[in-house]
Amino acid sequence: MKNEIKIFSPGTVANVACGYDVLGFCLDSVGDEMVVRKTTEKGLKITKIEGHDLPFDIDKNVAGVSALALYEDAQPDCGFEIEIYKGIKPGSGIGSSSASAAGSVFALNALLNSPYNKTELTRFAMKGEALASQGEHADNIAPVLFGGFTLVKGIDPLEIISIPTPKELYATILHPQIEIKTADSRAILPEMVPLKDAIKQWANLGSLVHALHTEDYDLICHSLQDIIVEPYRSKLIPYFNEVMLASHNAGALGGSISGSGPSIFALSKGQHKAKEVEQAMRNAYSKSEIEFQTYVSTINTEGIKILSS
Amino acid sequence: MKNEIKIFSPGTVANVACGYDVLGFCLDSVGDEMVVRKTTEKGLKITKIEGHDLPFDIDKNVAGVSALALYEDAQPDCGFEIEIYKGIKPGSGIGSSSASAAGSVFALNALLNSPYNKTELTRFAMKGEALASQGEHADNIAPVLFGGFTLVKGIDPLEIISIPTPKELYATILHPQIEIKTADSRAILPEMVPLKDAIKQWANLGSLVHALHTEDYDLICHSLQDIIVEPYRSKLIPYFNEVMLASHNAGALGGSISGSGPSIFALSKGQHKAKEVEQAMRNAYSKSEIEFQTYVSTINTEGIKILSS
């Protein structure tokens, strides 16, 4: 029997331009690590948090809340202690809370010999995510647990679809070190949108799903447009247009805001191109006074990885 | 050199529940026939129209207008005369004008040794379609020319995507003999729609495209929902809800209004099921006082067929 597991729980990009609230993909080069171990004493404890300052209280920590949802459902004859090594900065827009929320339930499930499937784990993780985003969403959680590109068709009932990942697709992320409150980035969106814009958006999402199936990079390029959400949210991100233009000029297929921002993502064909795009995005953002980080990543088709158990 | 061609130009279903204004598929068991022949005298003439009462004037007939658009672009050293045998009733909602508009350009192109590709033919046919629907649309034309399921990603520039057709998919159509003016069915739609509804719609369209690629009939079933347009337009179709319920109870995967109506379509897995669904829809509509016709059809993956040349 395994008593301890160490995992890597990756960052994710939600929305992916035309897929607001439903589409996401999984990163590989940025994420959290977590160690979870069984204890004879019942209950859950967070025993260590490194990397960022987060609450140890189970009820106030997203990893704690999601783990508790699974724990109360499973009612095992043991307890668990959780160590969190945050690699993703909270509020970055690349799924920090989802990595924590999904990571703890994945680890508990593994130590309990996997009684739950990925969709059930998503449901537990959504409880943790809700603590961070005031609402149950799965568009960042699904790619952490399923890997690759995921489409959350609906959350009640929860239906998650794995979309194929073209082999040469790479992501470049630029994370400006500013804070955008999720509440603000939601409040800025209109309740009503023009039907003609919605039509363009679903045409783009339909063609993006087709392009991912057929590895059609030109069509991925033409489909990565967000005319509904980006025009509003991009105003909250200084130098957004400059970064997008730079990535476009460097040959990226396209990009947009990652999740609710402030991170910006671009997709490229091939690692070499993704690195050129990274350099172009860095050059563009250097003109601002804002500190930033960048990442280049494969699309992680596996999701959470077990580092040791 | 071919001097005469006889073609079958099929009916089509546009919108397909979640794909308003962008998605369509091609029927096989209902359509128009057309005979087009070269003449030494230049110019275009419609010499025969059977089946329905339509104008012979080139400028007032959708097949004439589309043919003229191609003819003026190609500037051939000959003329053409066109015979139209309407099998589709105008105003039925299963692409009557698109069958005529696409049929004539397809035939002229064939007799000119195919200088134009399918996308170019779509553009000419849209000129004819515009005469009927006061606006350039391709969601009925694309499936006539490309066959199968088509996604019109955009019309400026025109981008048409062929989506794979699952082998066992069959369509059942019920055509109530009432008239709905296209202008009325457009006027009834709101200019603004709730963002949360638009999100559900694009999630459904994304998952339908995935389901067509993976031949996942359950997912086709879950994806065939229209929460944006159907609630408005279905009010114009007496007994719509009763027919939908009957088709559902008979085991159809799903359905909705065909185009702007009044026809109603259902999709089923297998011909046997599609015929059971047809019977159930007939039984439901028999309770109305309205005359109707029904069709069961394979999804025609070929589009327009050459009957003789």
Side-chain angles (χ1 to χ4, degrees), chain A residues 18-22 151-154 159 161-164 189-211 213-214 219 222-223 225 228-229, chain B residues 18-22 151-154 159 161-164 189-211 213-214 219 222-223 225 228-229:
Chain A
C18 50
Y20 177 65
D21 229 23
V22 301
L151 179 76
V152 180
K153 184 185 160 335
E159 277 193 276
I161 298 164
S162 283
I163 314 283
L189 296 182
E191 278 187 32
M192 304 291 285
V193 298
L195 176 56
K196 67 176 178 41
D197 290 349
I199 291 167
K200 282 185 195 163
Q201 196 90 346
W202 63 59
N204 280 325
L205 182 60
S207 72
L208 180 58
V209 169
H210 177 82
H213 269 279
T214 54
L219 190 59
H222 296 177
S223 306
Q225 289 174 26
I228 298 277
V229 171
Chain B
C18 52
Y20 177 65
D21 230 23
V22 300
L151 180 75
V152 180
K153 186 186 160 333
E159 276 193 276
I161 298 164
S162 284
I163 315 282
L189 297 182
E191 277 187 33
M192 305 291 285
V193 298
L195 176 56
K196 67 176 178 41
D197 290 349
I199 291 167
K200 281 186 196 163
Q201 196 90 346
W202 63 60
N204 280 326
L205 182 60
S207 72
L208 180 58
V209 170
H210 177 82
H213 269 278
T214 54
L219 190 60
H222 297 176
S223 306
Q225 288 174 26
I228 298 276
V229 171

